[in-house]
Amino acid sequence: MIGLRSSLRAMPALWLALPMVLLAGAYGMALYPSDHYGLGATAMGTGALPFIAGFTAATAAWEGARLRPAVWWSPAVRSQLEVAGWAVLPSVLVGVLALLVAVAVLLVRSGATVPDLTLIAVGVLDLVAWAAVGFAAGILLPVPVAVPVGILLPFVWLAFVPAMYPVWLRHLTGMFRDCCGLNEALAPAAVVASVLVDIGVIVAAVVLVAGWRSMRQRGGSGRARAIPIVASGLVLVLTLRAGVGLVSGMTYAPVVTRDQAQLTCRERAGLTLCLWPEHAPEADALAAVASDVRSRWLAAGIDAPAIFTEAARSVAPAGSLAFGVSGTAPDDVIRALAVAMAPPYPVCIDPRTGTQMGTTGAGAMTWLQAWYAAAGGMSPGRLVEEYGYGQGMPGTTLDPLPTVDALWKVSPEARRAWVAHAAALVATCEEVEVDLTVRP
């Protein structure tokens, strides 16, 4: 262990600590914040890991290269593991500080107060794993090779792998930027898979360096020197296989539905409104808008549920309206409720190719949402902004608002018939003619 003054003079991790922390904070400012949700904000903060892990691995590679002669040949009072640990500790600590700064920025921007400690722990383990990889690269490779390897490998793993198919590969990396919406929780399987892979990487790096050093000291043959590589590779393969078994088949987001027991429900004017704790301070404002929207829908002949809930649609009580909203501005709440009232798009598979496809009927979704928004009381300016001329089907100039105007002029029964027809168009996987004419 060397003193602080010597460390500041000799260790690039400490030279670059301030720029790295500032970069992490700036990156956090560029990401989309969550809605008062500590888990979502922490997960978004892990999006900074690709370049933080690259910094950690590259500076650890430098330290490994600097200590290579001592690791290979010189006797030492302390164990080689202890020497390596002290060498990479500054790299890990600066990386952890940068990660915490990115998370803190997202927490402040999200209006959240408590980070998710599980995600932070996984992020720290990620950085330890990449420090081990970087140190091993510095011990085994020349500096001009080891440092670029330390930069590129984490970037490929944490930035390119999440962009690859199958989509569940990203859950092995420890970067959980796609988690979590307000009605979602982090999937335990993704956490365990990532931890297994990190442990495998650390063990593989230790086995490779220790085995290679032992072979060099004993002067083993070329075949014998391959043993550490094979053993290290075997550790990686086994842990990767275990991780894949846990996440295989998951969607791109490492999430499960959030426990509905955390919802708080209140009644207002015949409406039961159930909200997550993050929206408790806004409950009165949300309830006022939601109850007004429901009253307007009933008056317009729309069969509005008596329960509005922020639970995921897949677990919401039968007959309730599952919605998600950020903020209490009336037009924002009305739009969220209009989106929730429309049926979900079906999963349509092309029988010829086996791939997912769109349908002509799906274009009716915009018309249906525009009617629900108008009937719910959305302001005229926002209605034009969201659904007016040119905002209909992508690539067209079709305008839902004349249809909305026509719906106001017919009976509630005719409106219900039109809504049923439009909903059937959205829900079909057939190629159909989209006729949204309002008939008396």
Side-chain angles (χ1 to χ4, degrees), residues 58 114 208 355 429:
V114 181
L208 184 60
T355 58
C429 285

Side-chain angles (χ1 to χ4, degrees), residues 25 49 53 94 103 241 243 247 260 311 339-340 361 363 377 388 404 407 439:
L49 277 174
V94 174
V103 170
R241 183 66 188 87
V247 301
Q260 292 186 77
V339 170
V404 171
L407 284 167
R439 295 178 173 82

Side-chain angles (χ1 to χ4, degrees), residues 92-118:
V92 174
L93 290 179
V94 174
V96 170
L97 178 60
L99 177 62
L100 292 176
V101 167
V103 170
V105 169
L106 267 301
L107 285 170
V108 171
R109 294 181 62 215
S110 301
T113 55
V114 181
D116 184 80
L117 297 181
T118 297

Side-chain angles (χ1 to χ4, degrees), residues 314-381:
S314 60
V315 296
S320 64
L321 178 67
F323 73 101
V325 67
S326 178
T328 58
D331 280 345
D332 291 337
V333 178
I334 292 168
R335 185 181 185 280
L337 294 173
V339 170
M341 274 291 284
Y345 288 113
V347 178
C348 299
I349 305 298
D350 189 333
R352 295 167 296 180
T353 64
T355 58
Q356 190 169 339
M357 66 176 188
T359 66
T360 54
M365 178 70 83
T366 304
W367 270 251
L368 200 55
Q369 291 180 5
W371 166 238
Y372 287 137
M378 181 175 282
S379 64

Side-chain angles (χ1 to χ4, degrees), residues 94-182:
V94 174
V96 170
L97 178 60
L99 177 62
L100 292 176
V101 167
V103 170
V105 169
L106 267 301
L107 285 170
V108 171
R109 294 181 62 215
S110 301
T113 55
V114 181
D116 184 80
L117 297 181
T118 297
L119 278 177
I120 291 176
V122 173
V124 171
L125 186 60
D126 264 4
L127 295 177
V128 171
W130 285 112
V133 170
F135 187 82
I139 290 294
L140 302 173
L141 300 171
V143 173
V145 178
V147 173
V149 164
I151 295 172
L152 292 175
L153 277 183
F155 188 78
V156 170
W157 178 247
L158 291 162
F160 279 78
V161 169
M164 295 169 58
Y165 286 94
V167 294
W168 45 260
L169 284 173
R170 66 187 64 193
H171 306 325
L172 301 173
T173 66
M175 186 185 69
F176 297 128
R177 195 176 61 184
D178 297 307
C179 166
C180 294
L182 202 55

Side-chain angles (χ1 to χ4, degrees), residues 2 7 32 95 101 179 212 218 234 275 291-292 300 334 338 380 397 401 432 440:
I2 61 177
S7 298
Y32 188 77
V101 167
C179 166
W212 195 279
R218 294 176 184 176
L234 184 60
L275 303 172
S291 61
D292 180 63
I334 292 168
T397 57
L401 296 189
V432 294

